[in-house]
Amino acid sequence: MALLEIRDLKKYFPAPAGLLGRAKEHVKAIDGVSLDVEDGETVGLVGESGCGKTTLGRCIVRLIEPGGGTVTFEGRELSSLPEPAMRDMRRKMQIIFQDPYASLNPRMRVGEIIGEGLRIHGLAKGRDLKARVLELLARVGLRGEYFGKYPHEFSGGQRQRIGIARALAVNARFIVADEAVSALDVSIQAQILNMMLDLQQDLGLTYLFISHDLRVVEHVSDRVAVMYLGKIVEVAPAGKLYSVSQHPYTQALLSAVPVPDPSRKGTRTVLQGDVPSPINPPPGCSFHPRCPFALKLCAEEEPRLEFDGQHGVACHVFGPGGTKYL
Amino acid sequence: MDNSATLEAEVISERRTARSRRLRRALRPWLTPKVIGGGIIVLLLVIGGLSAPWIAPYDPNAQNLSQALRPPDWLFGANVFGTDALGRDILSRLFYGARISLVIAVMVVIISGVVGIALGAISGYFAGTTDFLIQKLVEVVWAFPPLLLAIAIMAFLGQGLENLILALVSQRWITYCRVSRGQALSLRSREFVDAARSLGARHTRIIVRHIMPNLLPSALVIGTFSMASAIISEAALSFLGLGVPPEIPTWGSMLADGRTYISTSWWLALFPGLCIFFTVLGINLLGDGLRDILDPRLKRSGSGIG
């Protein structure tokens, strides 16, 4: 059994009401997502802005209450857990945020920030707590003398290290990294990513790595899931996705990654039109209005995620579920 | 022998200078011109108020009608700042008045600050129905003209220091509540609050440790202004005969009494007026200086906010 099993997870937000009364419309931020994360692996989650990546990450750790479906962690279903029981589970699953400037309380010292989880769960007190925080600081490559400093005295990369130390403090097994390096310089990104990989090796962590940056995801992930309009359209082992991706959306996404080679004129698939509104997603395959290969069927029937081994594609035309229509 | 004694003395004196150096280093961030200036004024006020029975030359209520409306004698005379219409010594009354002004200002600000910040933080953090109810209460109180509400409360409860404080708090907590609520609303969606929630922090902890400390700097600024305006409101209520009982001298009632004589005996109104002015100035300076220090992001000038 996987460490984390997501089944048919849904989250609809009420859309802003119109002028007259209540509009009964919803933004379908996540619309039936299923995903497994095995113990010790890193699953990358990519997709463009607004596709529901962040909402999915937050639903998993229940910062946002899911609207439907189940999240099972270590065999326990989370969304039905009452808050006191959930509080215990929160120790095991932590989240690292995108904005290292907003994610640290400006009026708390580093030692208090990192030690807060220990205090909440009664894991350490007084001298033990300080010793543990100093150990965590060392783990994330920060000097112990930073203990009494305030967040504003640090650079973005250092702040992100503090955020990681805070997540590690409660001995989390599973960490949602929500665009954890997107706000950082490229050189700092590499440092933080490598540190996260080292920590994974040392502590046996499991990551759900959310990013819009395909190169970053490729670097860290074992498997990658591609999201489009609240749904997962393709899942594959990282190496395979980058070589033999099947879904037209994934291919368009991959062709947009800049290649550091001026002589290579890439064949860039440029998608036509905008992302449809998640309030009224198109019927059938939500990608069909922009898909260069769309069939009549694509506008009528929603494709399911069909698997060939570890490689899953939700498409009527390509992949394991699509061939029969060609 | 001799040598070792001097050595020992040297070690001791070195230790002493080290201690004083540490003390100086600890104090240095607090010693900004604003804090020093405001602090001196407030300190003088506190000393004057506390030691009034010993330093005031006369009983503040002793009347001497033969000496009524005596102009200031300045440094060498019986009545340094002159006397009022009943021949009471103005300087003595100012010392005693400082007590009332201080007690009222401090108590009103502390009570309304605590109530306002707590309700504002709860209102903004929980949003939804809680917020709706608290904000309706705020709007109801807000609908009354502030002085009218205070007059109503004083008329209902009668004169007295506690009632006066209650009357002044009754409208003053609202300013804290509104500002705190707005800030709490924006703070609740900040990621550090999410981080605390994902760590398993309870609502109380989030409000006390994450929301309220971030509300303090602006509350402190409101506090200094509201402390000043509390002194003025106390004066207004005393002027209307609804403040503290008339036998207790306050700057406000002195100012009100002196108003009648302003064209002939300027000293009656000028000195209590100056006292109010410098007190308000001192409190504002101190509050401003404290805000600069208490906000860690503004601590070092030049480092900027980043």
Side-chain angles (χ1 to χ4, degrees):
Chain A
M1 192 176 56
L3 179 69
L4 179 79
E5 291 179 357
I6 306 167
R7 288 289 171 274
D8 200 27
L9 197 70
K10 290 190 171 112
K11 181 65 193 178
Y12 297 171
F13 294 105
L19 273 177
L20 300 168
R22 292 179 191 184
K24 287 259 167 71
E25 288 186 319
H26 289 90
V27 178
K28 296 176 176 172
I30 319 177
D31 198 8
V33 166
S34 299
L35 185 68
D36 284 359
V37 181
E38 301 290 337
D39 195 6
E41 77 171 340
T42 300
V43 174
L45 187 63
V46 292
E48 57 199 284
S49 316
C51 72
K53 315 183 290 272
T54 296
T55 310
L56 179 60
R58 287 177 181 227
C59 276
I60 293 171
V61 297
R62 258 181 80 186
L63 278 176
I64 299 175
E65 293 295 329
T70 59
V71 177
T72 312
F73 183 76
E74 288 181 344
R76 293 181 76 181
E77 213 278 288
L78 295 183
S79 47
S80 63
L81 274 187
E83 191 54 36
M86 186 62 206
R87 213 168 278 135
D88 279 343
M89 296 303 282
R90 290 192 189 280
R91 267 181 59 190
K92 298 177 184 161
M93 42 201 318
Q94 284 292 303
I95 181 165
I96 302 170
F97 296 92
Q98 172 173 11
D99 182 354
Y101 291 91
S103 62
L104 306 178
N105 186 343
R107 304 187 69 81
M108 277 167 84
R109 295 170 191 277
V110 169
E112 296 169 318
I113 292 173
I114 298 176
E116 185 169 32
L118 298 171
R119 233 174 270 244
I120 288 171
H121 294 285
L123 297 175
K125 263 194 240 174
R127 195 169 295 174
D128 288 347
L129 187 127
K130 179 156 188 185
R132 176 87 176 106
V133 171
L134 290 176
E135 184 199 319
L136 286 160
L137 279 173
R139 260 223 184 277
V140 296
L142 293 174
R143 292 207 293 269
E145 67 212 52
Y146 294 157
F147 186 87
K149 292 198 183 294
Y150 285 100
H152 69 93
E153 298 173 63
F154 295 93
S155 68
Q158 286 173 317
R159 283 158 172 251
Q160 206 56 301
R161 287 170 191 266
I162 296 168
I164 293 171
R166 169 173 62 192
L168 294 178
V170 287
N171 297 321
R173 287 181 73 184
F174 171 68
I175 291 179
V176 176
D178 182 8
E179 302 269 13
V181 295
S182 309
L184 307 174
D185 289 345
V186 177
S187 57
I188 310 291
Q189 280 189 1
Q191 286 176 17
I192 301 285
L193 287 174
N194 289 332
M195 187 189 78
M196 287 177 69
L197 292 177
D198 290 346
L199 288 168
Q200 182 170 39
Q201 292 239 306
D202 295 351
L203 304 170
L205 300 172
T206 307
Y207 290 129
L208 178 67
F209 199 93
I210 301 172
S211 181
H212 62 269
D213 189 333
L214 287 155
R215 289 165 311 150
V216 167
V217 167
E218 180 182 21
H219 180 62
V220 298
S221 304
D222 300 314
R223 287 193 300 137
V224 179
V226 182
M227 264 184 102
Y228 183 77
L229 268 182
K231 294 190 174 97
I232 289 182
V233 295
E234 185 159 13
V235 192
K240 210 169 172 185
L241 184 81
Y242 286 88
S243 54
V244 289
S245 63
Q246 299 271 358
H247 198 283
Y249 176 67
T250 314
Q251 290 182 340
L253 206 62
L254 287 171
S255 79
V257 175
V259 181
D261 179 0
S263 63
R264 203 184 119 183
K265 300 242 171 7
T267 47
R268 170 117 199 253
T269 321
V270 179
L271 292 175
Q272 299 299 312
D274 291 323
V275 184
S277 157
I279 295 177
N280 275 316
C285 171
S286 50
F287 186 60
H288 86 264
R290 305 172 75 193
C291 180
F293 310 102
L295 305 171
K296 188 160 165 277
L297 177 71
C298 297
E300 291 159 1
E301 194 184 312
E302 190 183 326
R304 292 166 46 85
L305 199 60
E306 302 280 354
F307 278 88
D308 174 15
Q310 280 208 302
H311 188 178
V313 184
C315 183
H316 288 307
V317 183
F318 297 97
T323 41
K324 53 181 176 274
Y325 298 105
L326 277 179
Chain B
M1 197 65 201
D2 203 33
N3 212 359
S4 78
T6 46
L7 209 72
E8 201 169 296
E10 234 165 66
V11 167
I12 289 171
S13 81
E14 207 162 274
R15 221 177 274 157
R16 206 168 286 157
T17 49
R19 196 180 304 149
S20 80
R21 205 182 306 133
R22 223 174 305 138
L23 187 72
R24 236 177 297 145
R25 199 177 305 144
L27 280 177
R28 191 174 303 139
W30 294 86
L31 297 179
T32 62
K34 280 182 198 164
V35 174
I36 295 174
I40 287 175
I41 295 177
V42 173
L43 199 67
L44 282 178
L45 195 74
V46 173
I47 292 172
L50 287 181
S51 55
W54 299 282
I55 57 174
Y58 298 93
D59 179 334
N61 289 316
Q63 299 180 10
N64 186 350
L65 288 175
S66 66
Q67 294 292 318
L69 296 177
R70 202 182 141 107
D73 296 326
W74 304 115
L75 276 179
F76 311 100
N79 302 102
V80 175
F81 284 166
T83 62
D84 68 4
L86 296 172
R88 294 176 293 196
D89 181 50
I90 289 187
L91 181 65
S92 307
R93 292 178 68 75
L94 288 178
F95 279 128
Y96 279 90
R99 306 180 126 190
I100 298 299
S101 297
L102 268 179
V103 168
I104 287 174
V106 170
M107 292 303 288
V108 167
V109 165
I110 290 176
I111 298 173
S112 49
V114 169
V115 173
I117 293 173
L119 283 177
I122 291 170
S123 185
Y125 175 70
F126 287 110
T129 319
T130 320
D131 183 41
F132 180 82
L133 292 175
I134 294 178
Q135 291 315 307
K136 282 298 154 215
L137 176 68
V138 165
E139 278 163 31
V140 168
V141 180
W142 196 255
F144 288 96
L147 205 57
L148 197 67
L149 185 66
I151 290 171
I153 291 176
M154 289 310 287
F156 189 71
L157 296 175
Q159 290 189 340
L161 194 59
E162 305 85 45
N163 295 347
L164 183 62
I165 290 171
L166 185 71
L168 293 177
V169 166
S170 71
Q171 339 121 20
R172 241 156 266 271
W173 63 274
I174 284 172
T175 325
Y176 298 92
C177 187
R178 291 219 134 177
V179 173
S180 303
R181 176 211 174 232
Q183 286 189 303
L185 267 180
S186 92
L187 287 169
R188 74 190 287 262
S189 55
R190 294 276 292 279
E191 286 185 338
F192 65 79
V193 173
D194 282 340
R197 279 213 293 143
S198 80
L199 280 172
R202 284 156 220 265
H203 294 310
T204 343
R205 182 182 190 92
I206 294 176
I207 289 175
V208 173
R209 300 277 291 144
H210 294 273
I211 305 278
M212 292 197 3
N214 284 293
L215 302 175
L216 276 184
S218 38
L220 202 66
V221 177
I222 302 172
T224 55
F225 287 112
S226 115
M227 192 179 267
S229 87
I231 292 176
I232 291 164
S233 296
E234 176 272 318
L237 286 174
S238 298
F239 177 74
L240 294 169
L242 289 166
V244 292
E247 68 270 15
I248 303 178
T250 74
W251 294 344
S253 55
M254 289 172 72
L255 188 66
D257 294 344
R259 215 182 58 117
T260 331
Y261 301 91
I262 192 86
S263 53
T264 51
S265 312
W266 49 266
W267 55 92
L268 261 63
L270 179 73
F271 294 115
L274 280 179
C275 282
I276 295 174
F277 170 77
F278 278 109
T279 305
V280 171
L281 178 75
I283 294 170
N284 280 341
L285 277 176
L286 190 63
D288 209 30
L290 286 181
R291 191 208 47 169
D292 292 350
I293 294 162
L294 290 179
D295 191 341
R297 278 164 300 178
L298 299 174
K299 199 186 276 174
R300 274 168 207 83
S301 57
S303 76
I305 301 167

